[in-house]
Amino acid sequence: MILPPATLGMLGGGQLGRFFVAAAHEMGFKVWVLDPDPHSPAGLIADHHLVAAFEDFAALDVLAEACSAVTTEFENVPAATLEYLSKFIPVHPSAQAVAVCQDRIREKSFLSDNGIPHGPFAVIRADEDVRGADETLFPAILKIARFGYDGKGQARVATREEALHAFHAFHREACVLEKMLPLDSEVSVVLARDEAGTVRCFPTAENRHRNGILDVTIAPARVDVALADEAQRIAATVAERLGYIGTLGVEFFVTDGRLVVNEMAPRPHNSGHHTIDACVTSQYDQQVRVLAGLPLDEPRQHSCAVMVNLLGDLWYEGDRHREPDWTVLHREQGLRLHLYGKHHARRGRKMGHFTVIGTDADDVFERAMRARAAIGI
Ligand code: ADP
Ligand code: MG
């Protein structure tokens, strides 16, 4: 076990890393963050911020020297970076697990090889692959295999012709072509798995997206109990088959009353933010615990929760930049506002979120929607 006042390392300085730093600090650890952005949200509150590229091996040496173990909050951290660090200190999740999650082709192959339910897809590496794709895939969605997020690097395509155009617009980068599925809903499971293989799942959450970006999470999900349980079982299987150690997010589509895995995130997940305010332990606490080799805590949810993402758009009135009026949110009882301290509000950028908690699911939902309308979303 790694115990305070030991130092933990975090690759990536975004909001997920920032919540990890806060959780680690609460438990008495120190945290070093590595991120190239000098204004990164996690870097700002870390004990030390190494402002360097993820491929900067001299910086990685410094990190390995300072830290007892390292984790990540960013799925696009180069696998070679994790591999390199693991020669010196424990690194969780492993380079191999992250490599699967950061490449949609490897991710889909992993699901199919392990008999885990997923939607129909084709791998696209060349024009011929588009031409040869099964007709039943259309209408479809073309996604670049690497470095897409928040709906970026995705194109909805009704026909083969459109798919070809989109593939060219993506400069013929490797892609997956997925059948556009009719969605009953979207759910996700965040879990933690430790070195001994113990898995603790947070209750299945329900997610609503806007323009390909998570908008609202409702937890627990308002779905059939059997379906919510099944999602947890599938997510646990994903973690086991990946040999995953750490906090993992698994996104699902519910289509025709059936669960299919959409994608995995080798890190805490946006749809697990509410665990900070609504659960006995948060997804970030669990991430710290796994990394330090401490026993996993109880992921039990003590309150109903609705989480609403706050995007950079809220900072604009027409073209004018202004700070939103936070007083309208602070007036709402049982609402916890979390702002990430990002330097610059860009449209579509995740700047903060709020979580409304309470004992009655309908009441929590209503209050969250009222707060959302009051702030102008
Ligand atoms: P990201 O990495 O940006 O989260 P996703 O693959 O999860 O990318 O896609 C973002 C959102 O777009 C999904 O949560 C879902 O709402 C919608 N979407 C993606 N793929 C499909 C699909 N095959 N069928 C229907 N909706 C989809
Ligand atoms: Mg997603």
Side-chain angles (χ1 to χ4, degrees):
M1 279 190 209
I2 298 168
L3 294 167
T7 300
L8 303 174
M10 171 52 78
L11 296 166
Q15 61 271 19
L16 303 173
R18 184 175 167 103
F19 287 123
F20 172 90
V21 174
H25 277 169
E26 209 158 86
M27 287 186 235
F29 293 99
K30 294 188 175 62
V31 185
W32 281 37
V33 165
L34 186 145
D35 190 288
D37 175 6
H39 304 292
S40 79
L44 290 175
I45 66 162
D47 296 274
H48 188 68
H49 178 190
L50 285 165
V51 181
F54 296 112
E55 304 82 354
D56 179 338
F57 287 88
L60 297 180
D61 285 339
V62 174
L63 190 70
E65 183 66 36
C67 299
S68 301
V70 173
T71 188
T72 176
E73 60 105 46
F74 171 58
E75 70 216 56
N76 290 320
V77 63
T81 296
L82 299 171
E83 194 76 62
Y84 180 76
L85 287 168
S86 69
K87 289 186 204 151
F88 311 106
I89 44 172
V91 176
H92 300 303
S94 69
Q96 162 268 332
V98 173
V100 172
C101 301
Q102 68 187 192
D103 181 328
R104 291 188 194 275
I105 297 174
R106 291 190 62 178
E107 190 172 49
K108 291 269 193 277
S109 315
F110 163 83
L111 295 173
S112 56
D113 293 349
N114 287 282
I116 295 161
H118 58 81
F121 73 99
V123 173
I124 307 294
R125 296 185 196 276
D127 290 9
E128 297 80 80
D129 299 325
V130 180
R131 294 206 184 90
D134 202 298
E135 190 56 41
T136 59
L137 285 177
F138 296 98
I141 175 161
L142 186 74
K143 304 179 180 178
I144 52 171
R146 296 215 49 193
F147 303 115
Y149 70 100
D150 286 348
K152 292 189 177 67
Q154 300 192 1
R156 295 181 180 212
V157 291
T159 61
R160 199 178 296 278
E161 263 321 290
E162 280 183 33
L164 211 49
H165 271 117
F167 182 51
H168 295 168
F170 291 153
H171 305 288
R172 291 189 169 85
E173 261 186 66
C175 287
V176 293
L177 183 69
E178 292 181 21
K179 183 179 174 61
M180 198 71 199
L181 297 170
L183 305 184
D184 306 342
S185 63
E186 294 187 60
V187 299
S188 57
V189 173
V190 173
L191 62 77
R193 184 170 181 273
D194 68 14
E195 270 185 279
T198 304
V199 174
R200 293 266 184 274
C201 293
F202 287 98
T204 302
E206 177 183 340
N207 302 314
R208 293 188 183 175
H209 294 79
R210 246 196 201 180
N211 305 320
I213 307 178
L214 182 66
D215 179 22
V216 173
T217 294
I218 301 154
R222 300 168 305 180
V223 295
D224 198 62
V225 179
L227 192 112
D229 289 352
E230 175 71 4
Q232 291 187 328
R233 272 198 298 278
I234 295 172
T237 303
V238 168
E240 277 151 22
R241 297 286 163 83
L242 271 176
Y244 194 89
I245 298 173
T247 296
L248 176 74
V250 182
E251 298 178 13
F252 296 86
F253 295 144
V254 185
T255 177
D256 276 341
R258 214 169 55 86
L259 284 165
V260 297
V261 172
N262 168 29
E263 61 172 352
M264 295 94 78
R267 49 169 172 76
H269 194 264
N270 193 168
S271 71
H273 278 340
H274 67 279
T275 61
I276 298 171
D277 301 309
C279 295
V280 172
T281 188
S282 77
Q283 60 172 348
Y284 307 100
D285 294 329
Q286 297 288 60
Q287 189 182 20
V288 173
R289 285 170 168 274
V290 173
L291 189 62
L294 308 175
L296 288 173
D297 199 1
E298 202 191 343
R300 186 170 58 81
Q301 193 169 334
H302 55 68
S303 300
C304 299
V306 171
M307 188 278 317
V308 177
N309 267 338
L310 301 171
L311 302 183
D313 307 63
L314 198 55
W315 273 250
Y316 290 90
E317 206 170 74
D319 283 341
R320 200 170 63 87
H321 195 267
R322 51 117 176 106
E323 193 69 18
D325 175 11
W326 301 121
T327 57
V328 300
L329 294 183
H330 289 305
R331 270 191 214 111
E332 187 68 53
Q333 296 298 293
L335 183 150
R336 299 284 306 273
L337 175 64
H338 300 265
L339 295 173
Y340 310 150
K342 288 191 183 173
H343 200 56
H344 182 63
R346 262 198 327 272
R347 288 182 193 279
R349 189 176 196 202
K350 290 170 180 168
M351 298 295 290
H353 73 267
F354 67 78
T355 303
V356 176
I357 60 170
T359 47
D360 181 78
D362 292 335
D363 170 59
V364 167
F365 185 75
E366 259 168 47
R367 286 193 287 127
M369 291 306 115
R370 190 167 67 214
R372 192 166 176 272
I375 193 86
I377 306 174

